[in-house]
Amino acid sequence: METPAFVAVDWGTSSLRLWLMAADGAVLAETRSAEGMGGLSPDAFEPVLRGRLQGLGPAVAAMPTPLRVVLCGMVGARQGWREAVYVDVPAPLDAVAGRAVSPAADGLDARILPGLSARGDRPDVMRGEETQLLGLVLDAPALSATVCMPGTHSKWVTLDEGRVAGFSTVMTGEFYALLAGQSILRHTVAGSSGSGDPAAPAFVGGLADGLSAPDDALARLFGIRAAGLLSGLPAADAADRLSGLLIGAEVGARLARADAGAEVVLVASGRLAALYAAALRAAGRSHRLVDADAAVRGGLVHAARALWPEIQP
């Protein structure tokens, strides 16, 4: 087994992921849990982290102290372990590591990376995605692209020669959950999570509608309820159509504001990667897919090497 160099942590609102890392970026062990920021008080982060470090195996106990731990995500939010103040854009991604904060923890050299913020008449923030972006530019420091990062709160980022020139958040995932679970559409969706198949006819139809008229999406949502009442639209099809309509509206609206000649990079994994890839293809835009897990680990490796220069591949 390679010698462990540090621990990388992605701590979101609903989940926690830890990787034991070698200096060359190899993953030596990993552990995951549902102990996200949303369920923790500020004084609970350190004990949860110590408990999860044990889950990485005996190699952690053998590492010299203080143990290096680099963290990103909601752990640095105002309600997190310690607030890491946002870096304002436009900004080079290297600025993220330079603004890390260190919570007090015996035996740990913990560094929490800050998120990014956009101020002015369209304020916006991100936490965690900036570390994925850092991993994205690791092998292409001068990358210029439109980056789509789907999720509960999707991020659309403009990269200009490795700098974050601007970004916007689209609440597609949260809006889907609210509509499917709490609006009148809950009677038609009936708890179904849909097929998740980007080729499902109901998803394809909803996607086409959303892409063709993003500004009409709100008016078309009630049609899902009407189709359930008038033609017996199955719950799974209702969920697929709702997903397609919302994703189509998001992609259509954001691409209309993006540079038509810019490369589109999709940073995603699992079910969302397939659905958003289908949306980009339907919109006539080629794209490059980057695995979200690999991107965040790459960003944490980059940050660790900046924070502790003795960590070298």
Side-chain angles (χ1 to χ4, degrees):
M1 181 178 179
E2 293 185 65
T3 302
F6 65 98
V7 175
V9 181
D10 180 11
W11 210 328
T13 301
S14 59
S15 64
L16 167 62
R17 297 178 292 176
L18 289 84
W19 297 278
L20 182 62
M21 306 295 297
D24 64 0
V27 177
L28 305 179
E30 69 176 281
T31 182
R32 303 180 181 224
S33 81
E35 296 162 298
M37 182 277 291
L40 299 176
S41 59
D43 60 357
F45 284 86
E46 183 180 343
V48 167
L49 175 61
R50 291 186 186 278
R52 287 297 135 195
L53 287 172
Q54 294 178 1
L56 292 173
V60 173
M63 293 173 67
T65 55
L67 177 65
R68 304 183 191 102
V69 183
V70 58
L71 309 96
C72 73
M74 296 304 292
V75 64
R78 191 166 298 171
Q79 300 80 19
W81 187 4
R82 180 180 169 186
E83 184 177 10
V85 177
Y86 296 108
V87 174
D88 291 342
V89 299
L93 285 161
D94 282 346
V96 170
R99 295 274 292 276
V101 299
S102 300
D106 289 344
L108 300 179
D109 184 2
R111 312 287 183 95
I112 301 175
L113 304 179
L116 299 178
S117 62
R119 301 182 186 272
D121 59 349
R122 296 195 62 181
D124 212 332
V125 295
M126 68 166 70
R127 284 199 187 274
E129 294 90 356
E130 78 293 324
T131 307
Q132 293 181 341
L133 292 168
L134 187 58
L136 178 63
V137 303
L138 192 59
D139 296 322
L143 178 65
S144 294
T146 295
V147 185
C148 171
M149 311 173 81
T152 302
H153 300 148
S154 298
K155 307 292 182 183
W156 286 76
V157 183
T158 301
L159 285 181
D160 182 11
E161 296 187 348
R163 294 172 58 88
V164 177
F167 67 93
S168 60
T169 301
V170 188
M171 295 174 60
T172 303
E174 183 168 354
F175 198 31
Y176 174 92
L178 289 169
L179 288 171
Q182 298 184 41
S183 78
I184 191 68
L185 298 184
R186 72 186 186 279
H187 301 298
T188 309
V189 174
S192 175
S193 59
S195 68
D197 180 2
F203 177 81
V204 172
L207 190 61
D209 281 352
L211 285 168
S212 65
D215 59 345
D216 199 39
L218 288 176
R220 300 188 184 204
L221 284 169
F222 193 76
I224 298 171
R225 172 62 173 162
L229 293 171
L230 300 176
S231 59
L233 181 69
D237 288 351
D240 280 346
R241 177 164 176 77
L242 176 59
S243 175
L245 184 59
L246 292 177
I247 291 174
E250 174 193 338
V251 171
R254 299 325 306 169
L255 287 180
R257 293 167 171 80
D259 181 350
E263 178 187 13
V264 176
V265 181
L266 174 61
V267 180
S269 56
R271 177 171 174 157
L272 285 180
L275 296 178
Y276 275 77
L280 290 168
R281 287 193 298 268
R285 293 295 295 269
S286 60
H287 69 278
R288 173 165 59 97
L289 177 63
V290 173
D291 179 74
D293 273 8
V296 76
R297 284 197 304 270
L300 289 165
V301 169
H302 184 106
R305 291 174 181 162
L307 292 165
W308 300 289
E310 62 271 24
I311 298 177
Q312 295 299 325

